Amino acid sequence: MGKMSLKDKIKSIFAGRFDLLKVDELKDEFFNILLESDVSIETTEYILAEFEKKADEEKRMKRDNAIELLKEILLRILNDARTSFNFLKQDKKPFIVLFIGINGTGKTTTVGKLSYFLLKNGKTVAMGASDTFRAGAIDQLKIHGENLGVRVIYQGMGSDPAAVAYDTIEHAKARKLDYAIIDTAGRMQTNRNLMEEMKKIKRISKPDLTILTVDAMAANDAIEQASTFKKEIGFDGLIVNKMDTDARGGSIFSIAHQFRKPIYFIGVGQNMQDLIPYDPKYIIDKIFS
Ligand SMILES: Nc1nc2c(ncn2[C@@H]2O[C@H](COP(=O)(O)OP(=O)(O)OP(=O)(O)O)[C@@H](O)[C@H]2O)c(=O)[nH]1
Ligand SMILES: [Mg+2]
């Protein structure tokens, strides 16, 4: 059962049984499939409590009704992470977006993807290569810039990332660009120096929006990382990447439930167009279809 997706697991719950199922039996079944799908304990317990609240009048229920109820609860969790914030309706110029997150969660790729999204919608953008720490990071962003026809502001490896962010914003101001989007070096939540450096980048760039990227596959680790970033640096919302490779598929529920922050987009691949606006109904329909 471990390798099945959340979708397959839900389909398999008491499949073929048309008699009435005990609520306790259903709860045990849900408990296992949610945990195996990377939903955290805390969120799983919340889901089961909600299920019991709604189900307790009928201590037995039909399989399809139980699944329908689970679907409603899951949709409500995802809906709580929706936001009315609209990237395309910002009057401030440049609107400054800062990306933060641990290594490999997709910051640099998402800076490119978000620029692509904005360009496609008629906006103008500059990107700032404030990851001056990892070899290759500047080139990685420059390649995105070349492909997209977007100016990348950079200095040499080891230069001050806050200065690069500052230059990016100055460039965007001078050119009257709509957005300045700033990449930063990945850092573990435990690395004090890098966390301090991140605070400085944020202080100097004064972002209008700070976005934490998380990896859907990192599941419970992502929750832990986010709490530290929330406490140390602060962020406005999230982009959940690698939803396409997350076979288990349950971490989005813990992320939505436990962060209590909006999710703007999900990343569903490595290409520039693989960033889709966060849409709970789309995610739920994929699981329950
Ligand atoms: N399948 C898939 N791969 C992704 C997605 N987002 C990013 N990646 C890949 O994940 C890897 C890491 O992405 P980066 O954008 O370099 O991550 P980063 O956060 O900038 O990493 P550091 O700079 O090392 O901190 C790259 O190979 C990306 O192509 C996604 O949504 N789906
Ligand atoms: Mg990077």
Side-chain angles (χ1 to χ4, degrees), residues 102-109 113 131 134 140 185-186 241-242 244-245 267-270:
I102 74 149
N103 306 73
T105 50
K107 289 175 299 299
T108 307
T109 310
K113 286 173 174 177
D131 180 355
R134 182 171 65 80
Q140 193 187 348
N241 283 319
K242 309 192 192 182
D244 55 312
T245 52
V268 294
Q270 309 206 21

Side-chain angles (χ1 to χ4, degrees), residues 87-88 114-123 125 179 181:
F87 277 86
L88 301 174
L114 181 62
S115 298
Y116 172 80
F117 171 83
L118 294 168
L119 293 174
K120 214 175 52 178
N121 285 284
K123 306 294 183 186
V125 182
Y179 294 82
I181 305 181

Side-chain angles (χ1 to χ4, degrees), residues 66-96:
I67 291 178
E68 198 51 40
L69 181 51
L70 178 66
K71 181 175 168 179
E72 272 168 37
I73 296 165
L74 294 178
L75 179 62
R76 194 149 35 77
I77 290 176
L78 295 189
N79 275 339
D80 283 346
R82 274 168 49 183
T83 169
S84 57
F85 176 81
N86 187 333
F87 277 86
L88 301 174
K89 293 198 176 135
Q90 300 307 318
D91 294 331
K92 182 175 173 280
K93 267 192 191 196
F95 188 83
I96 302 160

Side-chain angles (χ1 to χ4, degrees), residues 13-29:
I13 300 170
F14 301 120
R17 268 185 68 178
F18 299 105
D19 53 336
L20 292 175
L21 299 163
K22 283 187 193 146
V23 168
D24 283 345
E25 236 183 319
L26 284 159
K27 274 177 62 188
D28 286 347
E29 192 75 4

